[in-house]
């Protein structure tokens, strides 16, 4: 396996502009001859599909939703970063670049991150032109607020539903192309395999989730925009349908998987309330702008929060990280919450919670201002918990949220499989070991609107066009393999539900590969996962057939992939003998409990090659070079 990042030469500030000036182009009249298959319709997929269709490509889009508007991007509520410096508080493209590299604990590729910071300024103009209703100041200018890991206000927002409004903008652009006949939308279709012809990605096999029909889709290039794999933990903030299947099956066809152990734990989620839950609810990080996080100073203090005086409260983030306080990065804030709960100072049922208190903000700003900023989030919290956050503090606890790992891609967003491009959360490229808040929306739209339109044409112009149809033997072979796996699942006829396997796998992953990891714990997980996988293939029960709507069958396919992918995650976490960002190995920490990196030995991207089910994957390394940002101890104090 060859990993060539294809990073352009020259000063970092000019790499992207110079690259755009020299990429190969496709003649406008020839663009319609190229068919592009986009899998996924979140921000990355919808924006890429709309832009490529407007350029003239023949675009086909697959979504397993009934509408692209249901993509999980709607759940990113808090905002989107951009280095506009509207607040005149010292922001710049370089500062956004620096904050992102530092926030990722120096485990991201510099060139990609700088480009992300550069195009961020264009995203806001694009979205305003689409009618996205960003919040505005009294004078009519776009408003900004702060987010974790930054000391400037660069986050644009639309109340507490920024992701939803941005997705509607991209969705409208996409559906305009569908209406114009320049794009075709395939709804309720789930990709189940990638098809390679002479080593190039030339299509996929999908299953219609309503009828069960298997369809072959041929294309000149495939774009995977299928999001992350956080649901390997069962309980996460992700939508229940979010899964690893598309990227994992591409991995099984030869795509390298980069940094799979880098998963983000979000500090601001509603705590687990019982075994009945199937997912967790995210409370946007934007709440940490005005909410203050605290726990009682005394262990086992069960008084109501209103009965605990100020001098008996520990505002631990403000105490430990005075420069950033409640807006400390997510990995640091999450571990700090876990630490105080482990000390016995947590609040709520089971002591697994901390307070997010708006009393000071309401006193300072007034309830109406707080409502204007966060009203829909407060309403959502009250509906779920029955508690009014205007009157009592919210209770929050960390939960699995985002995945920084994903398929390895080069500077052009192409995987090591020619023709297979990977966008948004599905790739590994921009966030290192920890994502700063409000950067997921930024990356998805940057990849779709401003990067792939240049780099995809470069791929088309660099290789002879193959006129592949769905009758090609590789499509026939892939379809037979997909049908064989589905039939194998249906014929097990065991006694355990798919849900029970998923729940058990999630507990293994959370206990041994979650917020904190140890060598012994990861080795334990690597013992338990194969046993659970073996039982799954012997004892899972899937009622119904494949020729109909069968949600147990679609869930089973995804859990089968999770049962293999979880092993890959643990191998990655086990081999990385350091702590960095969201990967916290308890053996590697400073005296005051911070992550202890090992730059001499682990300053690389871990890109894994598939070798078969149950076999240890092969590790490949892309060494990371830091020419613009000096490697340093990551401090927010």
């Amino acid at each position: 396996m060859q990993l060539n990042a294809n990073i352009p030469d020259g000063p970092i500030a000019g790499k992207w502009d110079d690259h755009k000036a020299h990429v190969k182009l496709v003649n406008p009249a020839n663009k319609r001859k190229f068919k592009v298959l986009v899998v996924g319709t979140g921000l990355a997929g919808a924006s890429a599909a709309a832009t490529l269709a407007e350029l003239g490509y023949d675009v086909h889009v697959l979504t397993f939703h009934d509408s692209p508007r249901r993509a999980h991007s709607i759940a990113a509520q808090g905002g989107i970063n951009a280095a506009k410096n509207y607040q005149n508080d010292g922001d710049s493209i370089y500062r956004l670049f620096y904050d992102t590299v530092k926030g990722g604990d120096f485990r991201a590729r510099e060139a990609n991150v700088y480009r992300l910071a550069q195009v961020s300024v264009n995203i806001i103009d694009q979205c305003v032109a689409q009618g996205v209703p960003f919040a505005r100041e009294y004078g009519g200018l776009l408003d900004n607020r702060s987010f974790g890991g930054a000391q400037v206000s660069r986050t644009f927002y639309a109340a507490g539903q920024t992701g939803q409004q941005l997705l509607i903008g991209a969705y409208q652009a996409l559906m305009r192309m569908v209406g114009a006949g320049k794009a075709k939308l395939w709804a309720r279709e789930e990709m189940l395999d990638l098809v390679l012809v002479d080593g190039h990605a030339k299509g996929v096999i999908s299953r219609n989730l309503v009828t069960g029909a298997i369809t072959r889709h041929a294309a000149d290039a495939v774009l995977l925009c299928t999001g992350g794999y956080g649901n390997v933990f069962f309980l996460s903030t992700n939508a229940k349908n979010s899964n690893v299947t598309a990227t994992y099956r591409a991995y099984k066809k030869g795509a390298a998987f980069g940094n799979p152990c880098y998963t983000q734990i979000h500090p601001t989620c509603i705590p687990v309330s019982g075994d009945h839950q199937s997912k967790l609810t995210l409370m946007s990080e934007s709440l940490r702008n005005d909410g203050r996080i605290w726990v009682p100073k005394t262990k086992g203090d069960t008084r109501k929060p209103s009965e605990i005086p100020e001098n008996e409260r520990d505002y631990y983030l403000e105490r430990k990280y005075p420069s950033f306080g409640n807006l400390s990065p997510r990995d640091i804030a999450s571990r700090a919450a876990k630490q105080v709960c482990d000390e016995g100072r947590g609040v709520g049922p089971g002591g697994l919670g901390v307070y997010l208190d708006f009393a000071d903000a309401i006193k300072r700003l007034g309830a109406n201002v707080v409502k204007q900023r966060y009203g829909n989030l407060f309403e959502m919290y009250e509906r779920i918990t029955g508690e009014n956050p205007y009157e009592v503090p919210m209770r929050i606890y960390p939960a699995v949220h985002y995945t920084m790992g994903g398929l390895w891609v080069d500077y052009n967003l192409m995987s090591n499989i020619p023709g297979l491009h990977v966008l948004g959360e599905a790739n590994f490229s921009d966030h290192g070991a920890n994502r700063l808040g409000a950067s997921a929306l930024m990356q998805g739209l940057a990849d779709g609107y401003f990067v792939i339109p240049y780099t995809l044409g470069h791929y088309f112009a660099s290789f002879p066009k193959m006129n592949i149809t769905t009758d090609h033997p590789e499509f026939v072979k892939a379809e037979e393999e997909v049908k064989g796996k589905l039939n194998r699942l249906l014929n097990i006829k065991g006694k355990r539900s798919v849900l029970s396997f998923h729940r058990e796998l999630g507990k293994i992953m959370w206990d041994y590969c979650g917020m904190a990891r140890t060598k012994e714990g990861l080795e334990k997980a690597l013992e338990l996962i194969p046993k659970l996988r073996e039982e799954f293939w012997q004892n899972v029960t899937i009622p119904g057939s494949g020729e109909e709507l069968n949600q147990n069958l679609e869930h089973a396919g995804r859990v089968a992939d999770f049962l293999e992918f979880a092993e890959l995650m643990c191998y990655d976490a086990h081999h990385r003998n350091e702590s960095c960002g969201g990967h916290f190995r308890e053996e590697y920490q400073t005296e005051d409990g911070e992550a202890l990196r090992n730059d001499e030995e682990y300053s690389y991207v871990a890109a894994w090659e598939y070798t078969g089910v149950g076999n240890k994957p092969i590790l490949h390394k892309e060494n990371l070079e830091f020419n613009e940002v000096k490697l340093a101890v990551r401090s927010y104090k």
Side-chain angles (χ1 to χ4, degrees):
M1 179 181 288
Q2 298 297 316
L3 299 179
N4 183 355
N6 290 313
I7 299 170
D9 294 328
I12 196 165
K15 284 183 188 294
W16 177 232
D17 289 338
D18 186 62
H19 190 60
K20 287 191 294 182
H22 292 91
V23 292
K24 296 180 180 179
L25 301 177
V26 177
N27 181 297
N30 288 336
K31 283 189 172 77
R32 69 178 69 97
K33 300 176 183 178
F34 288 94
K35 182 176 175 182
V36 182
L37 187 62
V38 180
V39 184
T41 56
L43 286 178
S47 60
T51 309
L52 294 170
E54 193 152 22
L55 285 171
Y57 292 107
D58 178 18
V59 176
H60 288 231
V61 189
L62 269 62
T63 177
F64 60 41
H65 301 288
D66 55 353
S67 165
R69 285 186 58 182
R70 295 192 183 277
H72 181 64
S73 301
I74 64 170
Q77 304 153 323
I80 177 170
N81 288 329
K84 286 284 198 182
N85 195 31
Y86 282 173
Q87 304 294 316
N88 199 28
D89 57 358
D91 201 10
S92 64
I93 288 171
Y94 183 86
R95 193 173 292 278
L96 175 54
F97 156 70
Y98 175 82
D99 286 348
T100 306
V101 172
K102 178 184 175 183
D105 217 351
F106 304 93
R107 290 294 177 263
R109 189 190 287 154
E110 276 193 341
N112 285 66
V113 178
Y114 196 91
R115 176 177 64 189
L116 177 65
Q118 274 181 294
V119 302
S120 71
V121 298
N122 304 118
I123 294 170
I124 304 305
D125 298 337
Q126 169 92 3
C127 295
V128 169
Q130 289 176 333
V132 173
F134 286 123
R136 293 180 181 269
E137 295 178 329
Y138 179 76
L141 298 177
L142 296 181
D143 196 11
N144 290 127
R145 59 189 176 199
S146 301
F147 253 66
Q151 290 182 301
V152 297
S153 294
R154 64 162 67 103
T155 304
F156 295 78
Y157 65 97
Q161 47 182 277
T162 313
Q164 181 172 348
Q165 297 302 325
L166 290 171
L167 185 63
I168 289 172
Y171 163 76
Q172 290 174 155
L174 169 59
M175 295 313 292
R176 176 171 167 264
M177 292 295 102
V178 172
K182 295 182 178 181
K184 181 175 181 180
L185 178 65
W186 298 75
R188 302 294 284 149
E189 292 281 337
E190 180 171 27
M191 171 187 157
L192 294 183
D193 208 356
L194 178 70
V195 180
L196 306 184
V197 178
D198 296 336
H200 288 243
K202 291 300 170 188
V204 306
I205 306 296
S206 72
R207 177 178 181 270
N208 185 282
L209 298 180
V210 177
T211 67
I214 304 296
T215 306
R216 307 172 191 174
H217 303 267
D220 294 292
V222 176
L223 275 58
L224 292 188
C225 312
T226 53
Y229 46 84
N231 277 344
V232 69
F233 292 91
F234 184 70
L235 287 179
S236 82
T237 67
N238 287 236
K240 280 307 294 176
N241 281 334
S242 298
N243 63 82
V244 76
T245 289
T247 50
Y248 187 71
R249 296 193 183 182
Y251 162 72
K252 292 178 80 168
K253 283 295 179 75
F257 213 111
N259 299 332
C261 79
Y262 288 167
T263 55
Q264 179 168 78
I265 312 296
H266 196 294
T268 318
C269 300
I270 297 178
V272 176
S273 60
D275 292 339
H276 63 283
Q277 283 181 278
S278 61
K279 74 177 299 294
L280 298 174
T281 303
L282 170 69
M283 289 284 100
S284 169
E285 181 178 308
S286 61
L287 294 168
R288 293 200 279 149
N289 272 287
D290 292 310
R292 299 181 70 192
I293 296 171
W294 64 276
V295 292
K297 286 184 177 179
T298 306
K299 179 179 177 180
D301 190 337
T302 58
R303 288 176 292 174
K304 294 178 181 179
S306 59
E307 297 174 355
I308 302 176
E310 280 290 315
N311 62 357
E312 295 181 34
R313 299 180 180 188
D314 181 11
Y315 295 91
Y316 57 87
L317 290 177
E318 298 172 30
R319 171 175 56 82
K320 294 178 70 173
Y321 309 104
S323 292
F324 287 77
N326 296 300
L327 286 173
S328 300
R330 291 175 175 178
D331 58 326
I332 287 173
S334 293
R335 285 198 296 275
K338 181 180 185 296
Q339 184 179 30
V340 295
C341 291
D342 289 349
E343 291 170 2
R345 296 194 287 139
V347 301
L352 292 177
V354 300
Y355 288 128
L356 179 60
D357 195 340
F358 286 85
D360 285 353
I362 291 171
K363 203 177 293 181
R364 184 178 76 253
L365 303 168
N368 285 338
V369 173
V370 172
K371 184 175 182 179
Q372 186 179 12
R373 292 179 179 178
Y374 313 111
N376 64 314
L377 300 172
F378 277 41
E379 181 183 350
M380 182 167 65
Y381 180 87
E382 185 171 5
R383 286 187 177 187
I384 292 171
T385 65
E387 299 173 0
N388 183 346
Y390 293 101
E391 298 175 357
V392 296
M394 289 184 179
R395 288 178 295 106
I396 58 170
Y397 192 71
V400 175
H401 179 54
Y402 187 90
T403 54
M404 286 75 67
L407 292 184
W408 182 92
V409 292
D410 66 4
Y411 189 73
N412 293 322
L413 302 184
M414 189 164 76
S415 72
N416 57 298
I417 296 177
L420 178 66
H421 296 75
V422 192
L423 283 63
E425 189 180 0
N427 75 33
F428 87 99
S429 66
D430 291 6
H431 305 299
N434 174 63
R435 177 178 66 81
L436 290 185
S439 288
L441 303 181
M442 178 173 64
Q443 186 208 349
L445 292 180
D447 288 356
Y449 282 138
F450 298 108
V451 179
I452 200 65
Y454 288 94
T455 61
L456 183 63
H458 181 72
Y459 164 71
F460 286 146
S462 299
F463 295 93
K465 189 178 187 307
M466 302 182 198
N467 293 312
I468 305 297
T469 69
T470 54
D471 295 327
H472 192 281
E474 291 297 337
F475 277 90
V476 177
K477 178 183 174 185
E479 181 179 334
E480 288 175 353
E481 289 174 354
V482 164
K483 288 180 176 177
K485 184 167 185 175
L486 292 171
N487 288 331
R488 184 184 170 197
L489 285 167
L490 288 165
N491 289 329
I492 296 171
K493 300 188 185 305
K495 296 180 179 179
R496 276 190 68 178
S497 69
V498 177
L499 188 69
S500 71
F501 281 103
H502 195 179
R503 192 186 296 274
E504 185 173 344
L505 174 65
K507 187 171 188 331
I508 292 171
M509 294 302 289
W510 179 252
D511 288 347
Y512 300 118
C513 194
M515 210 183 324
R517 297 128 187 222
T518 64
K519 179 176 183 287
E520 293 75 16
L522 290 163
E523 289 170 356
K524 180 70 173 177
L526 287 168
E527 288 178 21
L528 295 173
I529 293 167
K531 294 176 182 176
L532 185 63
R533 183 171 64 236
E534 184 179 358
E535 185 186 354
F536 174 87
W537 284 104
Q538 293 176 354
N539 197 31
V540 74
T541 179
I542 304 169
S545 72
E547 285 79 44
E548 60 184 351
L549 174 69
N550 191 338
Q551 292 184 311
N552 276 290
L553 178 59
E554 61 189 76
H555 189 198
R558 297 165 189 171
V559 173
D561 291 328
F562 279 140
L563 283 163
E564 295 178 21
F565 174 71
E567 205 168 24
L568 174 63
M569 282 183 66
C570 292
Y571 277 126
D572 189 35
H574 185 268
H575 102 279
R576 191 170 281 277
N577 294 317
E578 65 166 354
S579 291
C580 55
H583 168 64
F584 191 75
R585 284 279 297 271
E586 291 185 354
E587 306 96 319
Y588 305 101
Q589 55 182 300
T590 64
E591 288 183 2
D592 52 355
E594 303 294 344
L596 185 62
R597 293 197 324 268
N598 181 345
D599 293 329
E600 288 188 14
E601 295 184 54
Y602 294 100
S603 188
Y604 60 75
V605 177
W608 296 91
E609 179 183 355
Y610 179 71
T611 58
V613 178
N615 297 331
K616 187 173 182 178
I618 297 172
L619 173 63
H620 300 269
K621 300 176 183 179
E622 178 203 335
N623 291 321
L624 294 170
E625 296 181 4
F626 294 91
N627 301 312
E628 304 296 324
V629 175
K630 183 180 178 181
L631 285 168
V633 175
R634 182 171 171 240
S635 174
Y636 290 91
K637 295 185 176 181

